Amino acid sequence: ENSHMQKRRFGRTGHMSTIVIFGGFAVGPIEQREADATMELLLAHGVNHIDVAPSYLDAELKLGPWLEQHRERFFLGCKTQLRGKAEAGQELRRSLERLRVDCFDLYQLHAVTTMEELDQCFASGGSMEAILGARDEGLTRYIGITSHGLLAPAVQRAALERFDFDSLLFTLSFKLWAGADYRRDVTTLLQMAAERDIGTMVIKTWARGPWGDKEHRYHTWYEPFDDAEMIEQAMRFSLSQPVTGVISAGDARLLPMILDAAERFQPMDEAEQAELLATAGEYEPLFD
């Protein structure tokens, strides 16, 4: 264990998470042999926090053999996009089996992008009841919520009025931050997280823009930055905000550059941030 990657406290969980959190989608579309090489790379860099979901193709099955051997090395987060109590409870247990673990550190409501979906989760007989039950049974220690897109901060603020979540996951990149409205919304959410000691993870840091008509050269749903300089710039910007960590890109081929950049991480000062923000107009928006 000779990693130099910085760690930050993941809110009230007290876990010192590496500033890059492994986004498990990356092992979904690749063969087990490549997944194994990816896990070796993560272990070599000391990454100690994994975020995965049953919707990430066969990612859970690919990670299973590694978690069985190295469970204590990772803070493990999983999630459900199902909104009913029975189905979400079944999915949670299936994920434990596929991942070959006894319990999660964190289980999250996944991709709650609208107020309607938030209502479904919290309805009588909704998925939140299954997750609370699982926590009572010792199947997860903490409970979180993930949201995507421009409404994410508003949805998560509303979620925090209903339940004291232990973690939040939402979109943050220099491109999104350049929009005054989104920046204001995320700043408010981050202040709320700080006051309540909630861990925060961000996604889409690596997004260059939507694929549009271009050929999809990576497994990511957006076109990613794929040169070392922009990967480093994008990462430094997101990690210069008061977040716990950035989730790595959904393509294993980008991981070496991401991990190398993370080991050299230095925050950006205001001038550097302003310089990068000034280029945001060169990139297509990810969300309408």
Side-chain angles (χ1 to χ4, degrees):
E1 184 65 28
N2 52 7
S3 166
H4 305 295
M5 197 179 297
Q6 289 180 31
K7 297 185 176 79
R8 293 180 180 177
R9 183 172 161 280
F10 190 47
R12 63 178 73 132
T13 71
H15 185 259
M16 295 300 294
S17 295
T18 41
I19 53 177
V20 167
I21 293 163
F22 177 56
F25 182 85
V27 293
I30 59 181
E31 298 298 319
Q32 185 69 49
R33 189 174 47 83
E34 297 168 276
D36 292 345
T38 301
M39 294 304 293
E40 294 281 7
L41 184 67
L42 292 173
L43 286 167
H45 282 270
V47 171
N48 67 4
H49 186 152
I50 292 175
D51 188 72
V52 71
S55 54
Y56 296 167
L57 306 171
D58 281 336
E60 292 175 331
L61 295 175
K62 308 256 177 52
L63 294 176
W66 289 90
L67 289 169
E68 196 168 38
Q69 295 297 311
H70 301 284
R71 177 66 185 95
E72 70 294 340
R73 306 238 348 218
F74 297 105
F75 185 95
L76 177 62
C78 193
K79 41 206 176 185
T80 183
Q81 220 166 323
L82 301 176
R83 305 305 184 209
K85 179 179 182 178
E87 53 178 4
Q90 283 170 338
E91 184 161 71
L92 182 149
R93 286 168 172 77
R94 180 170 166 262
S95 289
L96 288 171
E97 281 172 28
R98 286 159 64 96
L99 289 160
R100 305 188 194 182
V101 298
D102 298 325
C103 69
F104 301 113
D105 295 297
L106 175 68
Y107 199 74
Q108 302 152 101
L109 295 173
H110 186 197
V112 183
T113 48
T114 63
M115 297 297 181
E116 291 72 33
E117 285 177 294
L118 186 64
D119 285 339
Q120 289 170 0
C121 296
F122 277 90
S124 174
S127 55
M128 199 61 199
E129 290 180 5
I131 298 175
L132 289 167
R135 187 178 64 178
D136 291 344
E137 277 183 69
L139 300 182
T140 187
R141 292 167 63 204
Y142 300 105
I143 298 176
I145 183 170
T146 85
S147 306
H148 309 263
L150 298 176
L151 289 176
V155 171
Q156 295 198 342
R157 286 206 307 271
L160 286 172
E161 286 169 18
R162 303 193 189 200
F163 183 77
D164 191 25
F165 286 96
D166 301 304
S167 74
L168 306 173
L169 183 157
F170 52 90
T171 35
L172 178 63
S173 64
F174 74 87
K175 170 70 185 171
L176 285 166
W177 193 265
D181 291 349
Y182 194 74
R183 179 166 67 232
R184 185 196 60 231
D185 291 349
V186 169
T187 301
T188 306
L189 185 65
L190 287 171
Q191 283 166 343
M192 211 166 172
E195 285 159 16
R196 298 191 184 197
D197 201 16
I198 298 169
T200 51
M201 300 172 277
V202 297
I203 52 169
K204 307 294 180 272
T205 292
W206 325 102
R208 187 192 170 90
W211 282 114
D213 300 330
K214 294 187 203 123
E215 180 203 350
H216 292 209
R217 300 186 315 282
Y218 294 97
H219 302 302
T220 42
W221 76 265
Y222 52 80
E223 182 186 4
F225 290 116
D226 60 358
D227 60 289
E229 190 195 354
M230 278 311 298
I231 280 176
E232 184 151 16
Q233 293 255 46
M235 185 196 73
R236 286 181 64 211
F237 184 89
S238 288
L239 286 172
S240 294
Q241 316 317 321
V243 300
T244 305
V246 293
I247 305 250
S248 59
D251 193 304
R253 290 167 292 186
L254 300 170
L255 264 177
M257 282 187 282
I258 288 171
L259 296 171
D260 288 345
E263 296 204 326
R264 288 192 301 273
F265 171 70
Q266 294 294 330
M268 276 185 166
D269 62 32
E270 291 296 327
E272 286 178 292
Q273 290 188 45
E275 199 178 335
L276 185 59
L277 287 170
T279 69
E282 298 168 23
Y283 305 102
E284 290 283 313
L286 256 198
F287 307 105
D288 298 331

